[in-house]
Amino acid sequence: MKQLFKMAFRDILRHKRRSIFSAVAMGLGLTLLLMFTSFIEGEMRGSMATSIKLDTGHIQIQAQNYDKNKNSLLWQDLIPNPGQIADQVSSTLPVIAATPKLFASGVITLGNASSGVRVVGIDPSSPAYEPYKTGLVAGEFLQRDDNSGILIGKPLANQYKLKPGDSINLLVNTANGDVDQQQFTVRGIYSTESSSLDKAVVFLALPKAQAITQAGDHASIIFILLKDQNQTDAVINAIQAKGLKIVSWKVLNSFIMDFQQYADSFMSLFYLIILAITATVIINTLIMAVYERTREIGILSAIGMRSRSIMGVFFIESAIIAVGGIIIGWILGGMVVAYLTKFGFYIGNFGLTGFTTSDTIHAYLTVAKGISMTTLTFIVALLAAIYPAWLAARMEPVEALRSAQ
Amino acid sequence: MKVTNVENVTRVYKIGEVETQALRGVTMGIEAGEFTALVGPSGSGKTTLLQLMGCLDQPTSGKVFVNGKDVSTLKRSERADVRRGTIGFIFQFFALIPTLTAYENVEMPLLLNGLKSDERKTRVMELLQAVGLSERAHHKPDQLSGGEQQRVAIARALAPKPTMILADEPTANLDTTNGEQVMEIMSKLNKETGVTFIFASHDPRVIKYGRRVVQLQDGLIVQDTIAKTNKKGK
């Protein structure tokens, strides 16, 4: 075995440039695998974290008829006395925040321009809005008793050239099916990592939102942010909310979960294509080696080396190239992943509004993914050696010796 | 005792639609310790006969025996097993593995035969000494002359203590001095170790070393003579 290693290693060194190029090809393949897998993982984790933090929370308590896509203000679709339930959850369970939210469809108008927005009534004192408070770029945050203030996102402020203190007109659907409108003063301008959300959501103090939409003391949901995401099921089981449904972040973000599954399937195909290209390089290198070394194969066979040992030499060569490629892939891929983890990759919002995906994707490489991609690369390198090794092993010694003469 | 014998052996090569009859029914035996020359012009069947006796190839018809065992129909791996322990080869091109040193080339058949490290070392150095190359043990083939490479090939052929060594045109790529030297070494080792040598050549300077000369022509043995003395009267 040691001698086979020695032969394989020296054979590789015989054509240093070719071997290095093959290893570099493997390295680039692994770099791409590490980059894309960490990119997708980062995107999914980032989107989920952003969505939970800014939009869905870990748990929502909803009315049985509530449909998040409708922004319905019919009282049977809303939760009565939400403050009472929220206070109970806050005081008895391990949560960061449990706070009611009221959603309504609205239109902002300024002069001849108008934009559709989602109006969200909130309790500004809740810790759930820390990301918005820390993301204030101008003005101040809402107060619970603010009767005329509105908080708008930076893209909207830029679009209408609004600054704190300016007035805008807001049209809102009401519970009885009418539309009401009122002048609001821009109290503050916020900016989160999701510009598509910033562009589409405006905030009012909950009492004011309830008043303008004629929702009484109702809310659309109770938004719950947990101290520990792993306690989701335990908290859901502990919540006492008769006649209401309790929904976890997994269901609330099913789109992201589904997309992750889809992305995983798609990326598996993509990884196979990358590895197939890489394997082609290895196959080509080894086939060239087989034909160049026909005479040597004949000699080895003549002195009694068995076919499996001859195959072994080529498998070892492929493994050595793969190890070289893996080292290159770790160095190169490590640098790319480290950069993308730290600085991220700006993708913008693709012109979407209302989605809570981050504008910048930060890569996230788990140890398990790193190991699985490395193992996959190594296995593909070994698989790539099968045909050339078989080609070498099936050579009849007399033919191999004759062809070399 | 015969180390190898062939019985009514034919070998037909088919290249495309063209058939070439390399051997047309050869019967002969080689006794242990012989130093036999297979002679004849190109295409007479010398190399084919050597390859059949060396289990490198299989006859189209007839039987080949090595140490009394019929090897005519053995599978590829079984033929490799026969070769590994009992047959050594010397080829006209200096058939060494270019990435291995002289020492490692000689060591290779011993590794394949599973000898222990210290036994291998002793045997390899003994053989390199016997062919006068102990000082060049750690040189690679491209650092050796043609004659030296062929001497390494002789040492490698002898390494597993085979019952016979088959040499196909062993001096064809050597100058006269080196060719003579190689033949002297082969002859000396044959006498000292008793290993059987069968070599194919059409060079009269090589043929004169043969103590038995088998002449082939058009795939048939046309003459089989025992030389009274070789060139040095040995």
Side-chain angles (χ1 to χ4, degrees):
Chain A
M1 196 64 175
K2 190 179 160 195
Q3 196 74 352
L4 295 185
F5 261 104
K6 200 185 281 179
M7 282 174 63
F9 190 70
R10 289 180 189 172
D11 282 331
I12 281 174
L13 292 182
R14 220 194 289 193
H15 295 284
K16 285 194 194 81
R17 201 179 303 173
R18 191 167 74 195
S19 304
I20 288 169
F21 277 126
S22 300
V24 166
M26 289 232 77
L28 289 175
L30 181 58
T31 299
L32 284 175
L33 295 188
L34 293 175
M35 193 177 92
F36 281 108
T37 195
S38 64
F39 193 73
I40 292 292
E41 185 78 19
E43 158 69 356
M44 290 306 145
R45 282 176 182 253
S47 293
M48 189 63 86
T50 305
S51 179
I52 288 171
K53 184 173 65 174
L54 299 179
D55 187 26
T56 66
H58 290 111
I59 298 169
Q60 284 185 12
I61 301 174
Q62 303 167 347
Q64 289 293 348
N65 297 328
Y66 176 78
D67 181 346
K68 69 171 182 174
N69 298 314
K70 286 185 179 169
N71 281 346
S72 168
L73 289 163
L74 297 173
W75 284 21
Q76 68 262 30
D77 296 339
L78 303 176
I79 303 171
N81 295 318
Q84 196 182 338
I85 303 169
D87 288 346
Q88 191 190 5
V89 171
S90 296
S91 59
T92 58
L93 296 170
V95 300
I96 294 171
T99 182
K101 279 186 181 185
L102 179 67
F103 301 123
S105 300
V107 177
I108 280 178
T109 60
L110 192 72
N112 293 329
S114 64
S115 293
V117 290
R118 187 182 207 202
V119 180
V120 184
I122 60 169
D123 174 4
S125 63
S126 170
Y129 304 107
E130 274 310 309
Y132 295 96
K133 287 175 188 169
T134 53
L136 268 183
V137 292
E140 58 189 31
F141 206 69
L142 296 169
Q143 299 295 321
R144 185 171 168 77
D145 57 355
D146 194 332
N147 212 26
S148 60
I150 187 168
L151 196 67
I152 63 170
K154 193 179 171 189
L156 213 54
N158 289 343
Q159 187 182 345
Y160 290 102
K161 295 185 173 50
L162 292 169
K163 58 185 186 304
D166 289 348
S167 291
I168 54 170
N169 195 45
L170 177 67
L171 281 81
V172 188
N173 288 327
T174 64
N176 59 18
D178 295 336
V179 176
D180 199 356
Q181 66 170 317
Q182 195 174 319
Q183 284 284 119
F184 282 88
T185 303
V186 175
R187 201 66 73 201
I189 298 168
Y190 71 89
S191 176
T192 67
E193 62 259 49
S194 175
S195 60
S196 62
L197 178 130
D198 299 352
K199 200 174 174 182
V201 177
V202 297
F203 294 99
L204 301 177
L206 181 63
K208 179 61 189 173
Q210 288 169 329
I212 194 173
T213 59
Q214 298 173 20
D217 63 347
H218 291 71
S220 301
I221 62 160
I222 294 168
F223 172 99
I224 299 170
L225 211 53
L226 299 177
K227 288 178 179 164
D228 180 359
Q229 183 168 296
N230 296 326
Q231 291 186 318
T232 304
D233 291 340
V235 173
I236 286 175
N237 290 333
I239 292 172
Q240 305 286 325
K242 274 189 182 170
L244 299 174
K245 59 182 176 185
I246 305 166
V247 188
S248 79
W249 58 272
K250 287 180 188 167
V251 177
L252 294 165
N253 292 286
S254 57
F255 171 73
I256 295 175
M257 303 284 279
D258 291 346
F259 185 75
Q260 181 157 18
Q261 278 187 340
Y262 167 76
D264 283 347
S265 310
F266 178 76
M267 290 314 286
S268 299
L269 188 69
F270 185 68
Y271 298 152
L272 284 177
I273 292 169
I274 292 174
L275 288 170
I277 294 167
T278 311
T280 310
V281 176
I282 297 270
I283 292 170
N284 192 39
T285 301
L286 292 179
I287 286 179
M288 282 170 75
V290 169
Y291 285 117
E292 281 167 3
R293 290 176 3 219
T294 299
R295 189 174 81 169
E296 289 164 49
I297 293 164
I299 295 165
L300 290 171
S301 186
I303 64 174
M305 187 178 270
R306 285 193 150 213
S307 297
R308 62 167 180 260
S309 297
I310 292 172
M311 287 182 86
V313 173
F314 287 91
F315 277 116
I316 293 168
E317 282 184 35
S318 188
I320 293 171
I321 291 172
V323 168
I326 285 167
I327 291 168
I328 293 169
W330 278 347
I331 294 169
L332 206 60
M335 288 194 295
V336 172
V337 171
Y339 178 86
L340 288 175
T341 303
K342 187 167 184 189
F343 300 106
F345 181 74
Y346 182 78
I347 57 162
N349 61 18
F350 294 116
L352 300 172
T353 54
F355 285 92
T356 47
T357 50
S358 296
D359 294 354
T360 303
I361 295 175
H362 290 270
Y364 188 92
L365 184 64
T366 60
V367 174
K369 285 273 185 187
I371 291 172
S372 67
M373 289 300 149
T374 304
T375 310
L376 195 61
T377 304
F378 191 76
I379 290 170
V380 166
L382 291 186
L383 291 176
I386 290 176
Y387 176 67
W390 174 79
L391 206 61
R394 70 188 275 271
M395 278 185 187
E396 281 291 344
V398 67
E399 284 164 17
L401 290 165
R402 190 186 303 132
S403 69
Q405 279 177 318
Chain B
M1 181 202 164
K2 285 188 173 58
V3 289
T4 180
N5 57 307
V6 294
E7 289 177 2
N8 202 23
V9 156
T10 68
R11 181 67 173 99
V12 179
Y13 293 111
K14 196 172 179 187
I15 301 165
E17 294 299 309
V18 182
E19 283 192 353
T20 308
Q21 197 146 15
L23 292 176
R24 297 166 185 271
V26 170
T27 298
M28 70 172 287
I30 304 281
E31 294 290 337
E34 279 191 24
F35 198 72
T36 299
L38 301 179
V39 304
S42 288
S44 59
K46 310 183 294 290
T47 299
T48 303
L49 185 55
L50 271 186
Q51 287 169 345
L52 291 176
M53 290 193 289
C55 290
L56 289 173
D57 198 6
Q58 287 177 300
T60 307
S61 67
K63 287 188 183 301
V64 179
F65 295 88
V66 172
N67 294 325
K69 181 181 179 183
D70 185 359
V71 296
S72 322
T73 54
L74 292 183
K75 286 189 280 189
R76 186 203 305 249
S77 59
E78 292 169 331
R79 280 188 283 133
D81 291 341
V82 172
R83 288 196 298 272
R84 189 165 53 243
T86 52
I87 306 168
F89 293 94
I90 302 165
F91 300 100
Q92 74 175 67
F93 53 88
F94 315 125
L96 302 178
I97 304 299
T99 50
L100 302 181
T101 62
Y103 181 97
E104 289 161 346
N105 266 285
V106 179
E107 188 187 29
M108 179 60 80
L110 302 176
L111 278 163
L112 296 176
N113 280 290
L115 254 73
K116 287 180 186 165
S117 172
D118 50 344
E119 289 174 298
R120 290 199 309 265
K121 191 174 179 183
T122 309
R123 178 83 179 136
V124 171
M125 288 317 293
E126 193 181 283
L127 288 163
L128 286 174
Q129 187 109 39
V131 296
L133 285 173
S134 53
E135 300 296 314
R136 314 279 277 166
H138 299 292
H139 287 68
K140 286 193 178 164
D142 61 0
Q143 297 167 319
L144 300 172
S145 70
E148 287 172 329
Q149 287 185 52
Q150 201 61 309
R151 278 147 62 193
V152 174
I154 295 169
R156 184 183 62 193
L158 276 164
K161 297 185 178 169
T163 51
M164 65 173 162
I165 291 177
L166 307 176
D168 188 12
E169 306 274 9
T171 61
N173 289 331
L174 298 176
D175 59 27
T176 308
T177 311
N178 276 305
E180 294 262 337
Q181 202 177 6
V182 162
M183 290 311 297
E184 289 288 351
I185 289 170
M186 282 170 52
S187 178
K188 179 172 155 252
L189 290 169
N190 166 253
K191 285 186 177 155
E192 286 176 3
T193 63
V195 66
T196 309
F197 274 82
I198 309 165
F199 56 95
S201 181
H202 58 263
D203 183 349
R205 290 170 303 177
V206 173
I207 296 164
K208 65 190 174 193
Y209 280 88
R211 288 189 277 277
R212 177 183 173 191
V213 179
V214 178
Q215 188 156 7
L216 287 108
Q217 193 174 315
D218 299 329
L220 289 168
I221 294 174
V222 292
Q223 200 174 2
D224 188 347
T225 53
I226 306 290
K228 286 178 185 166
T229 55
N230 65 14
K231 89 164 193 168
K232 290 194 172 177
K234 290 176 183 172

